[in-house]
Amino acid sequence: MKYIILLLALANASAFAQSLLDATAPYDALSNFNDLLTNFPDIATSLLTNISTSTDRQTILVPSNDAFDDYRQRNGASVGSLSSSDVGNILNYHTLQGALSSSDIQQPDGLISNTALTDPTYANREVLPGGGRLAQVVYIAATETATGTKIKARQRNALSSVDVQSGEGNEITLEPTPGNWSGGVFYVVDG
């Protein structure tokens, strides 16, 4: 009996022992994201290892193909045409510390989460001893609409604290059901 339970536990664990690329590959609406990871393997590796230890889990906000199309229309160029450094900064901004559950992102008062973006060009938060910076943050809140609950992530929080201002004040919508990968969870976003 003990062996059956162990085998079931191992089978369950191996179901989630997959890379972010493998976990998102079955979704046609994420093909541009998967292409980006494939075309920038050095960035993809750093994206998946940028948290302090391998036991720390992450939440990745995975842009949908529509998000890539919107970017191309707004900027006249694709994300894939950016420098490796710029793509890395974008991916780090879409990497949140900790594996956030559906209930985490639907907190009544919202949630502020650290990202992996610490590049001083974009990080306008406190300078730490030694010259480093605190990571950028995003504010995530559920809002009621005529069609149900939408989850919004804002790059600039409506709160008055300067510590949570970042980005261009854009809002994106998250699908409230996470996908799983070996390093944590991912949510599909439209920006």
Side-chain angles (χ1 to χ4, degrees):
M1 180 67 163
K2 289 182 191 178
Y3 295 111
I4 292 173
I5 293 171
L6 179 59
L7 288 174
L8 289 173
L10 289 174
N12 188 33
S14 67
F16 293 109
Q18 60 182 337
S19 71
L20 181 61
L21 185 62
D22 290 338
T24 57
Y27 303 97
D28 291 337
L30 303 179
S31 61
N32 289 337
F33 177 77
N34 291 329
D35 290 345
L36 191 69
L37 292 182
T38 303
N39 293 332
F40 288 88
D42 56 324
I43 299 302
T45 299
S46 67
L47 168 73
L48 305 179
T49 59
N50 61 6
I51 304 297
S52 61
T53 70
S54 61
T55 59
D56 288 341
R57 296 177 45 83
Q58 303 173 66
T59 298
I60 309 295
L61 304 179
V62 178
S64 67
N65 290 348
D66 289 342
F68 281 88
D69 293 343
D70 289 345
Y71 180 90
R72 188 179 310 106
Q73 288 177 350
R74 281 193 329 268
N75 296 289
S78 71
V79 174
S81 69
L82 297 173
S83 71
S84 182
S85 175
D86 288 340
V87 170
N89 286 326
I90 290 169
L91 293 175
N92 281 334
Y93 193 76
H94 282 79
T95 303
L96 308 180
Q97 295 178 1
L100 302 174
S101 70
S102 227
S103 60
D104 289 336
I105 66 168
Q106 296 183 60
Q107 301 233 354
D109 294 327
L111 168 76
I112 296 173
S113 180
N114 286 324
T115 72
L117 181 60
T118 58
D119 185 308
T121 304
Y122 306 101
N124 60 6
R125 296 195 63 216
E126 178 182 345
V127 177
L128 299 172
R133 290 191 178 267
L134 292 174
Q136 282 293 57
V137 297
V138 294
Y139 175 72
I140 301 171
T143 57
E144 293 297 324
T145 67
T147 59
T149 303
K150 285 195 167 211
I151 310 299
K152 297 280 189 178
R154 287 193 295 250
Q155 293 176 328
R156 184 173 57 214
N157 187 342
L159 299 175
S160 61
S161 173
V162 175
D163 278 346
V164 294
Q165 288 186 351
S166 66
E168 300 170 348
N170 296 329
E171 287 188 358
I172 61 173
T173 301
L174 288 88
E175 294 295 326
T177 304
N180 292 296
W181 63 289
S182 60
V185 298
F186 67 90
Y187 291 91
V188 178
V189 297
D190 67 359

